[in-house]
C-alpha cells in the first residue's frame, strides 16, 4: 500500500496512490509525504537541492536509492516506520501557484495538473526518470495510465 500524508484533498491522492500501486505492482507498505509550497519556497528548494535557480511545479526527494520489494521491515530495517508500519519512500513538494499559472497559459485543468504533478513525482520516487525522449514517453504514459485508473482523466 502507498500511504500518502498530506493536508490537501486526501481522497484523490489516495486514489492516485492506489492506482500507482496496482500499475507498478508495488508490494509492501510505503509512506509518501506531500507538502505544498509557494513559488519562492520551491525556487529556493530547487536552487538549494538541484542548483537550478527557478520555480518549478514539483520536486521529488526519494529517501531510497536502490530498492526491491516487498517494502517491509525485513528489507528496510533502517527505513521502516514502526508507527505507520511502512517504509519511508520519500517526499514531494508541489507548488500550486506555479501550476495555476502554467494551467492558465496552457489552457489545461488546474486541479488535474496538480494531480499529474503528484503522479509524476511518485514515479520519480519509484525510480522513473525522463532524461531521454524514450524515458519521457514511458513516464508520461505511466502517468496517464495511473490517472485514468484513478478516474482523474478519461
Amino acid at each position: 500500500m502507498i500511504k500518502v500524508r498530506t493536508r490537501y484533498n486526501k481522497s484523490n491522492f489516495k486514489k492516485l496512490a492506489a492506482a500507482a500501486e496496482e500499475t507498478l505492482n508495488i508490494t509492501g507498505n510505503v509512506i509518501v509525504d506531500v507538502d505544498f509550497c509557494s513559488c519562492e519556497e520551491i525556487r529556493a528548494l530547487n536552487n538549494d537541492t538541484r542548483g537550478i535557480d527557478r520555480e518549478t511545479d514539483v520536486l521529488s526527494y526519494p529517501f531510497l536509492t536502490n530498492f526491491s520489494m516487498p517494502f517491509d521491515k525485513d528489507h528496510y530495517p533502517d527505513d521502516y516506520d514502526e508507527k505507520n508500519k511502512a517504509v519511508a519512500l520519500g517526499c514531494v513538494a508541489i507548488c500550486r501557484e506555479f501550476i495555476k499559472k502554467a494551467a492558465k497559459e496552457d489552457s489545461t485543468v488546474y486541479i488535474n495538473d496538480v494531480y499529474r504533478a503528484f503522479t509524476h513525482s511518485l514515479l520519480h520516487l519509484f525510480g522513473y526518470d525522463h532524461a531521454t525522449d524514450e524515458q519521457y514517453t514511458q513516464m508520461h504514459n505511466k502517468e496517464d495510465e495511473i490517472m485514468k485508473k484513478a478516474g482523474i482523466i478519461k
Side-chain angles (χ1 to χ4, degrees):
M1 172 185 283
I2 302 171
K3 299 176 182 183
V4 180
R5 291 191 293 204
T6 185
R7 297 171 293 173
Y8 180 79
N9 200 345
K10 292 179 184 178
S11 64
N12 282 337
F13 284 116
K14 286 179 181 178
K15 287 178 189 175
L16 287 163
E21 180 182 339
E22 183 181 334
T23 301
L24 302 175
N25 298 309
I26 304 301
T27 56
N29 296 320
V30 296
I31 297 173
V32 176
D33 288 309
V34 179
D35 206 356
F36 297 89
C37 53
S38 69
C39 283
E40 289 173 356
E41 291 168 322
I42 206 150
R43 182 177 182 163
L45 278 171
N46 205 13
N47 193 33
D48 293 347
T49 60
R50 299 176 64 224
I52 300 172
D53 189 19
R54 65 177 160 86
E55 300 166 358
T56 189
D57 57 347
V58 65
L59 293 170
S60 309
Y61 296 100
F63 298 155
L64 308 173
T65 51
N66 296 314
F67 51 79
S68 62
M69 290 185 255
F71 289 99
D72 60 21
K73 187 175 183 175
D74 292 336
H75 287 87
Y76 299 94
D78 297 333
D79 300 295
Y80 192 77
D81 180 328
E82 282 290 344
K83 180 182 173 191
N84 291 292
K85 304 288 185 223
V87 175
L89 185 65
C91 62
V92 174
I94 297 175
C95 182
R96 291 182 291 190
E97 194 179 331
F98 182 90
I99 294 170
K100 191 173 276 192
K101 284 188 246 177
K104 188 173 183 180
E105 290 172 10
D106 299 339
S107 298
T108 57
V109 178
Y110 159 72
I111 197 64
N112 286 357
D113 291 351
V114 170
Y115 295 135
R116 181 169 298 279
F118 168 72
T119 305
H120 180 88
S121 222
L122 197 57
L123 288 171
H124 275 305
L125 296 180
F126 282 110
Y128 283 77
D129 201 357
H130 47 79
T132 67
D133 289 343
E134 184 179 331
Q135 289 174 328
Y136 174 84
T137 300
Q138 181 187 22
M139 194 167 175
H140 188 75
N141 289 343
K142 282 287 181 200
E143 288 170 19
D144 283 348
E145 183 179 349
I146 291 165
M147 291 182 70
K148 285 176 184 172
K149 200 171 277 188
I152 304 296
I153 62 172
K154 294 182 182 192

